[in-house]
Amino acid sequence: MDNNTAKEIIIEYLFADYNMDVLNRYLNISDQDQLHREALLNEALRKAVISLGKEE
């Protein structure tokens, strides 16, 4: 996942009122469950924090 994808994931999640179902489009059909959505969001948030740390 690149930084732009991480940004898209976080923005979509926030604008969907924290509904993780919007993250399904980033997952394979077989991986569209709560555990995989949480892992995807965690990875996106981790990338965002790392990216913010590099900007300082």
Side-chain angles (χ1 to χ4, degrees), residues 8-27:
E8 286 177 24
I9 289 169
I10 294 167
I11 290 171
E12 281 192 46
Y13 175 65
L14 293 175
F15 278 105
D17 292 326
Y18 306 98
N19 182 351
M20 287 190 154
D21 291 338
V22 299
L23 304 180
N24 282 342
R25 75 183 199 104
Y26 296 96
L27 298 168

Side-chain angles (χ1 to χ4, degrees), residues 18-53:
Y18 306 98
N19 182 351
M20 287 190 154
D21 291 338
V22 299
L23 304 180
N24 282 342
R25 75 183 199 104
Y26 296 96
L27 298 168
N28 295 326
I29 296 293
S30 61
D31 293 335
Q32 292 182 357
D33 57 27
Q34 187 67 19
L35 182 62
H36 285 93
R37 287 189 295 264
E38 288 176 4
L40 179 71
L41 184 59
N42 283 336
E43 178 68 15
L45 291 170
R46 186 183 71 75
K47 281 206 169 278
V49 169
I50 291 170
S51 179
L52 287 172

